[in-house]
Amino acid sequence: MELYSFCNSSTSYRVRIALALKGLDVTYHGVNIRTGAQYETHYVNDINPQAGVPAVVEGDFSLGQSLAIIDWLDATHPDPRLIPLDSRRRARALEMSYQIGCDMHPVNNLRVLKYLQGTLKVTPEQKDAWYRHWVAEGLSAVEILLARASGEFGGPWCVGHAPTVADCCLVPQVTNALRNQCDLTPYPRVRAVYEHARAHPAFIQAEPQRQPDYIA
């Protein structure tokens, strides 16, 4: 299996965590989205027509979109499950994942931030305010979702006693929020899950600074 990834991309980070949790080895290809490598003709035509990361390739099959990749990994390498089979745990894990992956991340990804500053000419201060606003709004909701899941399932992870797709989404989001100097003190449950996950070997293996294409 081949993985096309960028070290600091939170969506790539999600998939790296999932791969590590499942113990899967991949051939790593760095795609520097800061320099526009994702728009190169070969990459768009042959790997990912969405011109983004991550993407996985296995034989003649290629797939983009991190949540679709994690779902495919569960179907093809089901141990351990990251999208729970139990209907309520599944619903909670996906609810949290979609909150992060569909509501928070899209308004704060690199493509949007570049458009804000390069095309709309917002100041760096305005761009930072934009980023922090959406992080605060999103994590406020996640904090409540974590409280609900804790009451229902217990455990130190997002949804119970084992990592799920929700943890694969939460840890990269928090990592990027901290890198952008967001104040996370209002979210003790978010921080507790994050700190717990950071000690797990799979999450350590997936960290941006441990990737072959790492740049600060």
Side-chain angles (χ1 to χ4, degrees):
M1 190 185 305
E2 298 176 84
L3 171 66
Y4 291 80
S5 170
F6 180 62
C7 58
N8 285 318
S9 156
S10 62
T11 51
S12 296
Y13 194 174
R14 296 171 196 165
V15 171
R16 294 197 304 264
I17 294 169
L19 289 165
L21 285 167
K22 291 177 180 291
L24 298 175
D25 293 325
V26 298
T27 301
Y28 189 101
H29 302 282
V31 180
N32 191 336
I33 61 175
R34 293 180 185 171
T35 62
Q38 73 274 27
Y39 297 114
E40 292 178 2
T41 302
H42 161 70
Y43 185 75
V44 173
N45 289 345
D46 300 333
I47 307 299
N48 190 354
Q50 300 162 89
V53 288
V56 294
V57 176
E58 188 169 65
D60 62 355
F61 179 75
S62 62
L63 182 65
Q65 290 294 337
S66 61
L67 295 178
I69 292 170
I70 292 172
D71 182 58
W72 174 71
L73 289 173
D74 259 4
T76 55
H77 301 85
D79 185 27
R81 290 283 310 185
L82 299 179
I83 302 175
L85 293 174
D86 173 77
S87 61
R88 288 198 174 188
R89 287 190 69 232
R90 175 187 174 88
R92 289 298 186 210
L94 291 177
E95 179 183 36
M96 220 172 294
S97 300
Y98 294 160
Q99 167 64 20
I100 295 167
C102 301
D103 285 354
M104 292 181 67
H105 172 260
V107 294
N108 271 347
N109 67 23
L110 183 62
R111 179 168 51 186
V112 168
L113 298 178
K114 280 187 171 182
Y115 183 79
L116 286 172
Q117 199 159 8
T119 302
L120 299 184
K121 305 301 181 185
V122 305
T123 66
E125 293 76 17
Q126 288 172 320
K127 184 194 73 172
D128 290 345
W130 169 280
Y131 186 97
R132 290 168 185 161
H133 169 80
W134 295 114
V135 165
E137 184 166 296
L139 289 185
S140 294
V142 172
E143 185 75 8
I144 296 171
L145 295 177
L146 286 173
R148 287 182 180 175
S150 178
E152 292 170 334
F153 308 109
W157 297 95
C158 285
V159 186
H161 295 272
T164 68
V165 62
D167 303 281
C168 294
C169 291
L170 178 67
V171 168
Q173 183 64 63
V174 172
T175 298
N176 278 356
L178 290 172
R179 189 161 56 88
N180 285 279
Q181 300 181 326
C182 296
D183 178 16
L184 302 188
T185 55
Y187 319 112
R189 292 183 183 274
V190 168
R191 289 185 285 111
V193 172
Y194 173 73
E195 292 298 335
H196 178 75
R198 287 185 67 205
H200 190 289
F203 286 78
I204 294 171
Q205 179 183 331
E207 289 173 344
Q209 65 270 28
R210 297 179 186 273
Q211 307 315 306
D213 65 332
Y214 177 66
I215 51 177

